[in-house]
Amino acid sequence: MITPAMRTEPVVAIRDVVLHYFSPDRETLALSNISLEVSRGEFVAIVGSSGCGKSTLLSLISGLIKPSRGDIYLEGRKVSAPSPRAGYMFQKDTLLEWRTVLDNVLIGAELLGLDRRAARQRAEDLLRRYGLGEFMHSLPHQLSGGMRQRAALARTLCPDPDLLLLDEPFSALDYQTRLALSDEIAAILRNEQKTIILVTHDIGEAISMADRVIVMSRRPGRIKVEHHISYPSAGPQRPTPFEARKCAEFAGYFQTIWDELDIHEMQ
Amino acid sequence: MASETVTAEISHSEASPSVMVPRSPAYQAYLRALKRRAYAIQAWQVGLLVAFLIVWEIAPRAGWVNPMLTSYPSAVARTFMAMLEDGSLLMHTWVTFSETVIGFVGGMALGIACAVALWWSPFVHRVLDPFIVVVNAMPKIALVPIFYIWLGDVASIYAMAIAVSLFVTIIMLYTGFSAVDPDKIKLVRLFGASRWQVLSKIVLPSSVPTMISTLKVNVGLALVGVVVGEFQAAKAGLGYLITYGSQIFQMNLVMTAIVVLAAISSVLFICIQALEAIVLRRSGR
């Protein structure tokens, strides 16, 4: 049941979150005063140079680690442990090589104690839609890199989460597969009306896929600036990521964000 | 075969499509060379063994070495047949074989349990780590007389087989458990897995290859433990035959027991290799 109140309330609300890391020789301030709201159906990308804490922010939202200060709310409830409402996708596909593709997709349902029959139905349906119908009973090593990442997407979507946390899910793939797959996955996710937070260091990926791009500063990570991305030149419909790369606005966004990331200062 | 054909039809797939092309003469020559090489290796292996047996047979007969000390293959074969007929060889072999298998399985089970306990509690691991390393480096064979006094003639042999293999098992398995991909653990924790589920769904299945290499190491070690235990304590078994034979200066008996020991270790090793082939094929590794 989606009530009107739920429609307006943000899916994710991050309020003044601070995170310290401790190690025997130092204390590190990893994230400093992060506040962010993501509304239902929105696709938000977080970009930042490596080590800025953007992946840590995903771990915080997923409930795997707790902030030193501040609170995170997922659909109005304070996050204290991993929730099945949020799905997570890794840089590597992390498929379990001893399980068939279908059993890999079903691991979420198995651990969450969902109805086996319904979960299996949904898993088979997802795999067929992603072109993996023939490979359901194959082992992961028989699949190509792109197919494996699609199987990982099916695994994430099988328990039907509202929020998807994507931690550089394309960066382990070769360039061509990466472009093709980000197009495919963007289409899937927009159809499923999911709320998405994508973490990436690839500016092109962020601006071609997301509605909003958050630029993070280097450590201690904080939100430096945010951009609402739109492509009026492509017409009223949101262009696919591949088309977006050809739009007139793309280069402008790219240049602005490139400058904001201060990448030249690091060398 | 079916899945391979399908793979070939998928665009931008990295899985190698196996398209049947007619074999070129060069490829056929390559295959023949490969086969010849395999035969040559086998022929050399058999040849070396035969040469060894011939030298062993001739050397005492020609008076190059004292036959009292070395015996010779034909005499060993006669002893072997005689003992096979009166059933004593089978009895001694069975004693050693069953002690080895029980010790080996026991050491493995205990080793897995200990490694799981150490994985479960990093604090316990930090506390016990130096002790395990030192005990592993210590020659366990030094404990044979103590085990005999404490445990008697039967139990001391099992204890020895377990003691020899246990600590290396713990160390190998624990290292394997710690090397499991942290992202896989994160994956199941995101689905709310308990520590027990992390163990049963990820850590143990990921460690199957490590378990098999541990088994391979342990097969040899358990046999060492059993034979040494039998030297001290036993009234039966191949280790007993070796001590008894040397005491009455019957080299035929000693050599027969050693040949059977070599056969036992080969059989056990082949079993583990078969197990490895089955398990790894099934898990696609």
Side-chain angles (χ1 to χ4, degrees):
Chain A
M1 264 303 277
I2 296 175
T3 63
M6 278 171 75
R7 249 182 239 290
T8 52
E9 123 194 316
V11 175
V12 179
I14 301 172
R15 308 228 189 278
D16 303 315
V17 159
V18 174
L19 184 77
H20 295 264
Y21 274 142
F22 301 135
S23 67
D25 44 307
R26 74 169 65 83
E27 178 179 352
T28 312
L29 180 58
L31 294 172
S32 140
N33 285 312
I34 305 266
S35 290
L36 176 67
E37 285 191 358
V38 180
S39 14
R40 189 164 301 279
E42 204 182 3
F43 193 142
V44 173
I46 302 174
V47 294
S49 41
S50 50
C52 74
K54 54 192 192 299
S55 293
T56 311
L57 191 58
L58 277 198
S59 294
L60 282 165
I61 299 170
S62 75
L64 272 184
I65 53 175
K66 291 187 178 63
S68 311
R69 261 189 291 134
D71 292 309
I72 296 169
Y73 298 90
L74 176 58
E75 294 177 326
R77 269 188 300 261
K78 199 172 151 179
V79 172
S80 56
S83 152
R85 309 283 5 115
Y88 199 106
M89 231 177 129
F90 294 83
Q91 194 175 116
K92 292 177 290 170
D93 53 64
T94 59
L95 294 175
L96 308 178
E97 62 265 38
W98 57 89
R99 282 171 169 249
T100 63
V101 171
L102 182 62
D103 284 341
N104 263 292
V105 174
L106 284 170
I107 189 160
E110 204 174 301
L111 290 163
L112 294 166
L114 306 180
D115 178 55
R116 302 281 321 225
R117 288 257 305 274
R120 198 187 154 102
Q121 192 74 48
R122 183 167 161 78
E124 287 178 355
D125 184 46
L126 285 169
L127 285 171
R128 265 194 284 271
R129 269 194 280 157
Y130 304 164
L132 294 170
E134 320 268 0
F135 291 91
M136 260 180 227
H137 304 291
S138 306
L139 290 167
H141 76 102
Q142 293 166 296
L143 272 57
S144 70
M147 291 158 86
R148 292 176 62 120
Q149 202 53 293
R150 277 188 301 224
L153 176 70
R155 177 182 63 195
T156 308
L157 290 179
C158 187
D160 201 16
D162 299 320
L163 172 69
L164 277 163
L165 305 170
L166 311 183
D167 189 359
E168 310 206 19
F170 310 115
S171 61
L173 302 167
D174 62 79
Y175 190 68
Q176 280 85 339
T177 313
R178 190 168 174 172
L179 287 188
L181 198 67
S182 50
D183 243 31
E184 230 173 274
I185 288 186
I188 291 167
L189 296 179
R190 289 203 186 267
N191 278 338
E192 303 243 352
Q193 308 246 299
K194 301 291 183 192
T195 309
I196 299 145
I197 302 179
L198 165 74
V199 154
T200 180
H201 61 261
D202 182 332
I203 303 171
E205 195 169 282
I207 54 183
S208 65
M209 292 180 86
D211 306 317
R212 183 149 62 110
V213 174
I214 313 267
V215 181
M216 279 181 72
S217 71
R218 262 176 278 149
R219 188 178 284 162
R222 45 182 189 78
I223 294 176
K224 196 167 178 179
V225 62
E226 61 173 72
H227 299 275
H228 287 270
I229 308 291
S230 61
Y231 295 95
S233 69
Q237 282 281 335
R238 163 92 201 184
T240 68
F242 198 80
E243 288 162 5
R245 286 172 190 266
K246 291 181 287 189
C247 287
E249 296 87 348
F250 184 86
Y253 286 130
F254 194 98
Q255 192 57 52
T256 313
I257 295 174
W258 173 270
D259 291 340
E260 285 160 358
L261 282 175
D262 295 336
I263 290 168
H264 53 280
E265 277 174 29
M266 294 181 10
Q267 280 139 10
Chain B
M1 260 349 250
S3 74
E4 283 173 2
T5 0
V6 175
T7 314
E9 286 162 11
I10 299 282
S11 59
H12 67 261
S13 141
E14 288 157 27
S16 59
S18 76
V19 186
M20 290 301 281
V21 283
R23 290 176 173 181
S24 70
Y27 180 60
Q28 285 175 357
Y30 162 81
L31 285 181
R32 277 198 302 273
L34 219 61
K35 210 176 261 180
R36 264 203 310 277
R37 194 175 162 75
Y39 285 143
I41 289 171
Q42 274 181 358
W44 269 96
Q45 287 167 335
V46 173
L48 273 177
L49 195 64
V50 171
F52 171 75
L53 289 174
I54 290 172
V55 171
W56 184 11
E57 184 73 37
I58 292 172
R61 287 186 190 278
W64 303 337
V65 294
N66 183 349
M68 280 287 280
L69 299 181
T70 62
S71 180
Y72 32 86
S74 54
V76 172
R78 268 197 304 277
T79 312
F80 182 89
M81 291 314 293
M83 290 182 70
L84 205 58
E85 266 165 41
D86 69 17
S88 59
L89 188 62
L90 277 180
M91 187 276 286
H92 290 293
T93 305
W94 172 247
V95 167
T96 299
F97 183 79
S98 59
E99 284 165 350
T100 305
V101 170
I102 292 169
F104 166 70
V105 171
M108 198 67 203
L110 208 57
I112 291 175
C114 292
V116 165
L118 294 180
W119 174 84
W120 197 277
S121 165
F123 184 81
V124 171
H125 173 251
R126 288 289 293 274
V127 171
L128 295 182
D129 187 46
F131 298 105
I132 294 171
V133 171
V134 168
V135 174
N136 182 51
M138 198 187 74
K140 262 71 64 182
I141 287 168
L143 298 173
V144 167
I146 300 178
F147 281 177
Y148 181 54
I149 293 166
W150 287 353
L151 302 168
D153 56 357
V154 179
S156 70
I157 293 168
Y158 294 119
M160 203 59 231
I162 291 172
V164 165
S165 57
L166 179 61
F167 295 93
V168 68
T169 305
I170 296 173
I171 291 173
M172 283 180 75
L173 288 180
Y174 181 81
T175 310
F177 290 176
S178 321
V180 171
D181 181 1
D183 276 349
K184 286 181 181 155
I185 295 178
K186 192 172 166 184
L187 166 78
V188 289
R189 286 191 51 216
L190 283 162
F191 288 125
S194 63
R195 199 152 173 72
W196 178 251
Q197 283 172 318
V198 172
L199 180 73
S200 61
K201 303 276 183 204
I202 302 292
V203 174
L204 290 180
S206 293
S207 304
V208 166
T210 314
M211 286 187 200
I212 293 191
S213 24
T214 314
L215 282 179
K216 280 185 179 169
V217 172
N218 280 353
V219 150
L221 288 179
L223 201 54
V224 169
V226 163
V227 170
V228 172
E230 285 178 349
F231 282 173
Q232 169 83 37
K235 306 280 178 286
L238 297 166
Y240 161 79
L241 275 190
I242 292 172
T243 345
Y244 175 70
S246 65
Q247 280 162 358
I248 61 169
F249 229 85
Q250 272 282 331
M251 283 301 140
N252 297 344
L253 200 56
V254 176
M255 296 295 180
T256 303
I258 290 172
V259 168
V260 177
L261 275 176
I264 291 182
S265 59
S266 310
V267 167
L268 290 174
F269 196 80
I270 289 167
C271 290
I272 304 283
Q273 270 191 325
L275 181 73
E276 176 177 34
I278 293 167
V279 170
L280 296 193
R281 180 152 22 87
R282 202 181 283 169
S283 62
R285 284 182 278 210

